[in-house]
Every structure is written in C-alpha cells, then in structure tokens.
Amino acid sequence: MLDYLESLPSQVRDAFLIGSSTPFPKKFHSQIKRIIYCGMGGSGISGDLLKVFFDQTSDKSWTVLRDYRLPSWVDSSTLVVLSSYSGNTLEMKSIFREAVRRGVPLIAQTSGGWIAQACHKNRFVQLALPAGFPPRCAVGYLTFSLLAYFVNAGWIRIELKDWEEAFDAVEKFPRGEAKKLAEKFSGKNIRFYGGGFLEPVALRWKTQFAENAKTLTGYGSIPEIFHHEVEGWHAPSAMIKKSIGVFFVDSDEPDWLVRKRKVAMNWMKKSGADSISIQAKGHGILAKIISLIMLGDWTSYEMALLNKEDPLSIKVIERIKAAEKTA
Amino acid sequence: MLDYLESLPSQVRDAFLIGSSTPFPKKFHSQIKRIIYCGMGGSGISGDLLKVFFDQTSDKSWTVLRDYRLPSWVDSSTLVVLSSYSGNTLEMKSIFREAVRRGVPLIAQTSGGWIAQACHKNRFVQLALPAGFPPRCAVGYLTFSLLAYFVNAGWIRIELKDWEEAFDAVEKFPRGEAKKLAEKFSGKNIRFYGGGFLEPVALRWKTQFAENAKTLTGYGSIPEIFHHEVEGWHAPSAMIKKSIGVFFVDSDEPDWLVRKRKVAMNWMKKSGADSISIQAKGHGILAKIISLIMLGDWTSYEMALLNKEDPLSIKVIERIKAAEKTA
C-alpha cells in the first residue's frame, strides 16, 4: 500500500500526458450537450471530481451514475464517459452494452479487460491507463487523465498555475498529520462533512476508511446536513459520545456558512461528541482537492495499521463479486 | 406529528389536483432539454423521487442540487425547478436571485414566503402548496404536485392504475409494523441501503431518523456499497456489534443483485452485526416508493417515542438557521 500511496506524484504527471494525448473526436463539440459519467467504487471517484470542474466552468452538464442501467434521456447529444479501472466491472459492462444497443456516443477510461477490448472493437476512444493498481489506488490516473482530456478539448478550464500547484502538492506525503488524525479517530464513529468542491473529498474519505481501514463511517454534504442530519447528533447517546464530526473547510467560504458550522460543531460538543475541522491547503481548487484526497488516503492507511487490518485486503468485495456467477 | 402523518392520503390527492391544474408554459416543450431541481432538507426529497421517473421515462435530464449556487452550464435550455416549502430557505433565495440575474427559466413549489412573492413579481409559475406543515411532513404535497405537473405536461409517464394504487397504499397507516421496527432498531447504529428507485427511500429514512428521532444513521446506494462500504463492517468492533444493515428490496431485482446482497448480509452477521430486508409492497413503483416512505416516517416517529424525543422539535436546525443573520 505504501508503494501505491507514494506513486501519486508520478500518476498525476503520467495521467496528464495520457489525457492530453488521447484523441478527441471533433464532432463531439457540436453534438454533445450532456455528459453522463458511469463508474463504481474506486473507479467512480474521478466522476465526482470532474463534476466540480464541469459545474464551475463548463456549458455542458455532468451527471454521475453509480448503477448498471442508463437513464431514458441518454441520447445522441449525451456522451457516456465510462470509468472502469479493471475493465471488468459488471455494472460497467452492462452500461457499455446498453450504450452500444442504443447507439449513444461513448468513451471509456480503463487499464484493460473486457472494456478495453470492447472499445477497440467498437472504435470508441479509450483513455488507456497503466495496469497493476487496485482501482482506489489509481485515483491519480483516473482523475487527472480525464481532467487533462476535457481541458484539452476546451470543455472545462484549469489554469496552468493550478496544474503546477497540484503537481507540487502531491510531492509532500502527509504521513505525520495522517498518523495524528488516525490516532484521534481510533475507536470512534466518524462522520465526514464537506460542501461544494469538498463534498467529493468527504465521500472519498468515507470509501477509503471502508476499504483500507475496514471502518464504517458516514458522510454528508454542507449545507444540506444543516437541514436534518445535525438533529441526529443526540441518540443513541452511547454512540454519540464516541462520535466525531470531521468538517473539511475552505478559506473562501461565505461568512454565513462559517457561522452555521460553528453552531453545528458546538451542538456536537454539547451532545458529548467531538468535532474537528480540516483546512484545505493551497490557492486553486485542484490543489485543495488533491491534497485533501491524499491526506485521506494516508489517514485511512494509518487507521488500518492501528486497527491491525490489512489495507490491501478486500475479501468481502471479492466474495460479493464472486456471487455474480451462478453456482 | 400524528396529525401530520395521518394527513398523507389527503395530501397526495390535493397535490394531484394542484399539479394538474397549475399552468404549464407551452414554450418549455421545445426550449427545455435539462432540468435542475434545487431543494434543501425536507423540501428536497421530492427532487430525488421525481428523478426516478425522469430517469425511467423522460427524454429530459433531471439533476438534483442541494446547494446555494447554480452550475455554470445552466442556460436558457435548462429549467430551474426550485423547491422551498417555507419559501424562505436561504440557499433557495440565493438560487432564485442567480436564476433571475442569469435569465434562466424557473418554476417554484412553495407554500408562501419570500419565494412566493418573488415568483409573483417575476411572473414565474408557482406550484402553490397549502401552508402550515413542517417541510418534511409535506412530502405528499411536494412530491405528488410535481409528479402530476410533469405527467400532465407529458414529460414523464405514470399510468392511471399506478396513481390509483398509490392513492390506496397511503390509506393504511403502518403503525404496528413501524413500532416493531423501531423496537428492533433501538440503541443501534443503523445503515439504510437501497438501489434504483429505492435509493431515495433509504435517504428519506436517514433524514427522518435525524429530524424526528434525533438519531444519527447512515445510508448508501446499491450496488455501489458492494464496492467499498461492505468492507467497513468490521471496525470499530464495539460499534459493529451494535449495528444493523437495513436493505430495502424489490421483487423485480435481477438475480445477481439478490445473490450479492445475501453475501453482504452474511458478512454483516459474521461480523457480529444484524441485518434485515424490508420488501417494497405493490406493483407500480409509485406505490412501492410512497408506502416505504410512509413506513419510514412512521418508524422514525415510533423511534422518537422510544428515545423520549419530541419528533416535532428541530431546535438545532433552528439555531443554525438563526446564525444566518450577523449579530
């Protein structure tokens, strides 16, 4: 796992080249109005991160789907972006077949498997990623290849200085900070909260704590949690006293949001729970996002060590995957 | 709270009339390709339920936004559907102002407040709902008015027999079943799981347990949880032994999904946790959804009684709302 964690700097640089050099069909510029990104688990996080940049800078809508069937509104003006690192995800094979049957445009990001072959056969563009990583550890490849691909196409905007800041940010591994956080979280019921471009960060921490540290956590988006979830920090009392709310925060937030968060954190403390905020570092949102993703990956790794769990083992996921085939 | 729960049958019938009789601007038919629904908390659940019907039967895309800013891709071909039961939600006032500033089409559902006035002033269509309910208790008004409105416009399809089945389904209050479930859930760390049209059901149970029973729970979508969350059912061990996985299931699921769920439930039991499945009742998905929403509302109410909490009190939410104004 350490090797994978330490591969992030080379991943993001390689991925930038892969994304920038993969051909972009010119007809897409006038044809495509909507994009539906499809991906599961570790392969799916790049969709949430791309959504941030489409929502902030694009005239094309970006929808994330974690399912095995396409919505009825997917048509020739909708691009299916299919993400399956292994190339063998059941849900994504199902989506691929449906897209072909319905004749809708598709591109895929994968390192091989059934989907790479099917792309070749159907002459679909493939963002070809290096193989050999667990999907969740290929987050640099998955995210930065798609970002570079769509920046290159002119569909989203990322400034050169923001790329450079992100490349620099992933060079410094946050092992010390991660270890301290894991110790603080140990034995706790953890809830991760983030808003706007920090919402996918909160989701990533939750999924990494599950897969790496074998720890069940929760996550929610801000300001949505201020409309229901905050009331839940009261029962069952024994669990609340062992709970911790983790808020990902950004220095550019409006004042009213900061004030609301303070009230929520005070309530958690009054209920006997703990709460902390973790500040996004950097200027551009790309660096802010990737450095917090990296911190979460390292913290979930340190948490696995504390829990005496093997961070690489995914035996439950594998057992469930084996159930795809009938006996 | 009992009065509100028992108002559901009259809510869905009134809402059907409201939705069917609210004028639909003809120009929308050719103009609109994408819909972005905006709503927070109790007012926002209708967006997730409408999404089910748009994804299954429409050629227009439906996106749910729980935030205070519109994505950059919202344009004149995008209809903003704004949901704020009170008409005074900060985030929705912000969205409304941005929509006006950017000149994008908008309709709103509200019972009054700032947004009703602003709709009148700007000549936007308003789905006018009866006032006097806590937003989460107006789920019948919020959901069925929008469903009827868009069925009437021909943008989504619901068969007459499916409406009738849903109207019948809400007549029988599931108090006995709710009480038994609340007793089973008492003192537990609860995780609600549902896939496809049952995903918003799982989300609704989570938010209702927070607001009514003051209980923190988790939720996840199927099959996505089979790619990470299932691994988390291991640590911290003391919490897992007090956890219960609640699976909302439908008789029309494919076999592979049923097999995967069984493996996941077995793993939960092996980890010392509990798990149950709750079957959707009925033939059409509208009846299946609304009867499970009703069961969740009643179960969260019974849970509040068990927890000796006032299901109507939302003092934390109110304190956070008060922080909108500077001192």
Side-chain angles (χ1 to χ4, degrees):
Chain A
M1 180 57 80
L2 265 184
D3 287 349
Y4 294 130
L5 289 173
E6 291 176 354
S7 73
L8 189 62
S10 67
Q11 275 192 44
V12 299
R13 285 171 190 278
D14 289 355
F16 184 84
L17 292 177
I18 293 167
S20 306
S21 59
T22 301
F24 189 88
K26 280 212 172 58
K27 61 178 178 184
F28 284 176
H29 288 300
S30 57
Q31 181 187 350
I32 302 300
K33 308 280 178 238
R34 310 184 286 209
I35 299 156
I36 185 159
Y37 167 101
C38 313
M40 309 298 295
S43 296
I45 192 73
S46 61
D48 302 295
L49 297 176
L50 266 285
K51 186 174 191 300
V52 167
F53 294 89
F54 272 85
D55 279 357
Q56 290 205 0
T57 68
S58 186
D59 62 353
K60 300 181 198 303
S61 59
W62 180 278
T63 302
V64 176
L65 184 81
R66 295 182 152 91
D67 212 339
Y68 61 97
R69 285 172 299 194
L70 287 172
S72 60
W73 49 262
V74 171
D75 59 11
S76 61
S77 75
T78 313
L79 176 64
V80 175
V81 175
L82 197 147
S83 175
S84 168
Y85 181 75
S86 72
N88 294 315
T89 320
L90 175 142
E91 293 89 339
M92 293 305 109
K93 284 157 70 177
S94 163
I95 295 273
F96 192 103
R97 288 193 196 98
E98 186 178 347
V100 170
R101 201 166 57 239
R102 289 168 58 179
V104 294
L106 181 149
I107 66 167
Q109 61 170 187
T110 183
S111 70
W114 186 94
I115 285 167
Q117 289 190 321
C119 274
H120 183 72
K121 202 180 131 197
N122 289 275
R123 300 190 180 190
F124 289 144
V125 169
Q126 183 205 339
L127 283 151
L129 308 179
F133 290 73
R136 66 189 180 287
C137 301
V139 64
Y141 287 131
L142 289 158
T143 306
F144 279 67
S145 62
L146 273 184
L147 284 174
Y149 188 70
F150 286 115
V151 164
N152 214 34
W155 286 13
I156 54 173
R157 282 194 316 275
I158 297 176
E159 306 291 328
L160 187 62
K161 66 173 167 40
D162 293 334
W163 283 113
E164 283 168 354
E165 190 193 16
F167 291 151
D168 287 347
V170 295
E171 294 285 346
K172 304 149 222 149
F173 303 129
R175 185 151 192 187
E177 191 181 354
K179 208 167 176 175
K180 272 184 209 151
L181 283 172
E183 279 159 9
K184 190 167 178 66
F185 293 161
S186 182
K188 297 264 190 179
N189 172 40
I190 313 160
R191 313 285 285 201
F192 299 112
Y193 299 127
F197 67 84
L198 295 177
E199 182 183 343
V201 167
L203 174 61
R204 171 71 174 181
W205 281 58
K206 171 179 176 287
T207 61
Q208 288 290 77
F209 269 62
E211 279 199 75
N212 292 344
K214 316 299 180 274
T215 297
L216 208 55
T217 70
Y219 106 101
S221 72
I222 293 171
E224 173 67 7
I225 59 156
F226 298 149
H227 294 270
H228 43 68
E229 170 133 342
V230 284
E231 290 287 345
W233 283 75
H234 206 227
S237 173
M239 189 177 84
I240 296 299
K241 289 195 170 65
K242 294 201 150 206
S243 295
I244 181 165
V246 181
F247 290 83
F248 298 104
V249 303
D250 176 43
S251 51
D252 291 340
E253 286 167 354
D255 290 342
W256 61 265
L257 208 55
V258 176
R259 289 198 301 273
K260 286 189 176 207
R261 187 175 59 241
K262 277 186 188 155
V263 178
M265 291 175 85
N266 281 340
W267 171 245
M268 289 170 185
K269 280 184 184 144
K270 212 178 154 186
S271 292
D274 199 357
S275 73
I276 60 164
S277 55
I278 298 178
Q279 184 89 28
K281 285 171 196 149
H283 295 284
I285 63 170
L286 186 58
K288 286 177 177 176
I289 289 172
I290 195 66
S291 57
L292 280 180
I293 295 240
M294 186 167 63
L295 180 60
D297 290 359
W298 280 85
T299 305
S300 64
Y301 166 74
E302 293 291 343
M303 191 85 185
L305 301 188
L306 277 183
N307 287 349
K308 297 188 172 41
E309 302 277 0
D310 174 4
L312 279 175
S313 153
I314 48 161
K315 65 179 178 190
V316 189
I317 292 170
E318 280 164 357
R319 252 181 248 166
I320 290 174
K321 194 168 168 50
E324 282 168 13
K325 298 175 192 75
T326 42
Chain B
M1 180 57 81
L2 265 184
D3 287 348
Y4 293 130
L5 289 173
E6 291 176 355
S7 73
L8 189 61
S10 67
Q11 276 192 43
V12 298
R13 285 171 190 277
D14 289 356
F16 183 84
L17 292 177
I18 294 166
S20 305
S21 59
T22 301
F24 189 88
K26 280 211 173 58
K27 62 178 178 184
F28 283 176
H29 288 300
S30 57
Q31 182 187 349
I32 302 300
K33 308 279 178 241
R34 309 184 286 209
I35 299 157
I36 184 159
Y37 167 102
C38 312
M40 309 298 295
S43 295
I45 192 74
S46 61
D48 302 295
L49 297 176
L50 265 285
K51 186 174 192 301
V52 167
F53 293 89
F54 272 85
D55 279 358
Q56 290 205 0
T57 69
S58 186
D59 62 352
K60 300 180 199 303
S61 60
W62 181 277
T63 302
V64 176
L65 184 80
R66 296 181 152 92
D67 213 339
Y68 61 97
R69 284 172 300 194
L70 287 172
S72 61
W73 49 262
V74 171
D75 59 11
S76 61
S77 75
T78 313
L79 176 64
V80 175
V81 175
L82 198 147
S83 175
S84 168
Y85 180 75
S86 72
N88 294 315
T89 320
L90 175 142
E91 293 89 339
M92 293 305 109
K93 285 157 70 178
S94 163
I95 295 274
F96 192 102
R97 288 193 196 97
E98 186 178 349
V100 169
R101 201 166 58 239
R102 289 167 59 179
V104 294
L106 181 149
I107 66 167
Q109 61 170 186
T110 183
S111 70
W114 185 94
I115 285 167
Q117 289 190 321
C119 274
H120 183 71
K121 202 180 132 196
N122 289 275
R123 301 192 181 188
F124 289 145
V125 169
Q126 182 204 339
L127 284 151
L129 307 179
F133 290 72
R136 67 189 179 287
C137 300
V139 63
Y141 287 131
L142 290 157
T143 306
F144 279 67
S145 62
L146 273 184
L147 284 174
Y149 188 70
F150 286 115
V151 164
N152 214 34
W155 287 13
I156 54 173
R157 281 194 316 275
I158 298 177
E159 306 291 328
L160 187 62
K161 66 173 167 41
D162 293 334
W163 284 112
E164 284 169 353
E165 190 193 16
F167 290 150
D168 286 346
V170 294
E171 294 285 347
K172 303 150 222 149
F173 303 129
R175 185 150 192 188
E177 192 180 354
K179 207 167 177 177
K180 272 184 210 153
L181 283 173
E183 279 159 10
K184 190 167 178 65
F185 293 161
S186 182
K188 297 265 190 176
N189 172 40
I190 313 160
R191 313 286 285 200
F192 299 112
Y193 299 127
F197 67 85
L198 296 177
E199 183 183 342
V201 167
L203 174 61
R204 171 72 174 181
W205 281 58
K206 171 179 177 286
T207 62
Q208 287 290 77
F209 269 62
E211 279 198 76
N212 292 343
K214 316 299 180 275
T215 297
L216 208 54
T217 69
Y219 106 101
S221 72
I222 294 172
E224 174 67 7
I225 60 156
F226 298 149
H227 294 270
H228 43 68
E229 170 133 342
V230 284
E231 290 287 345
W233 283 76
H234 206 227
S237 173
M239 189 178 84
I240 296 299
K241 288 194 171 65
K242 295 201 149 206
S243 296
I244 181 165
V246 180
F247 290 83
F248 298 104
V249 304
D250 176 42
S251 51
D252 290 340
E253 286 166 354
D255 290 342
W256 61 265
L257 208 54
V258 176
R259 289 198 301 272
K260 286 189 176 207
R261 188 175 58 240
K262 277 186 188 156
V263 178
M265 291 176 84
N266 281 340
W267 170 245
M268 290 170 185
K269 282 185 183 142
K270 211 178 154 185
S271 292
D274 199 357
S275 73
I276 60 164
S277 55
I278 297 178
Q279 184 90 27
K281 284 171 198 149
H283 295 284
I285 62 170
L286 186 58
K288 286 177 177 176
I289 289 172
I290 195 66
S291 56
L292 280 180
I293 295 243
M294 187 167 62
L295 180 60
D297 291 359
W298 281 84
T299 305
S300 64
Y301 166 74
E302 293 291 342
M303 192 85 185
L305 300 188
L306 277 183
N307 287 350
K308 297 189 173 42
E309 301 277 0
D310 175 3
L312 279 175
S313 153
I314 48 162
K315 64 179 179 190
V316 189
I317 292 170
E318 280 163 357
R319 253 181 247 165
I320 290 174
K321 193 166 169 52
E324 283 168 12
K325 298 175 191 75
T326 42

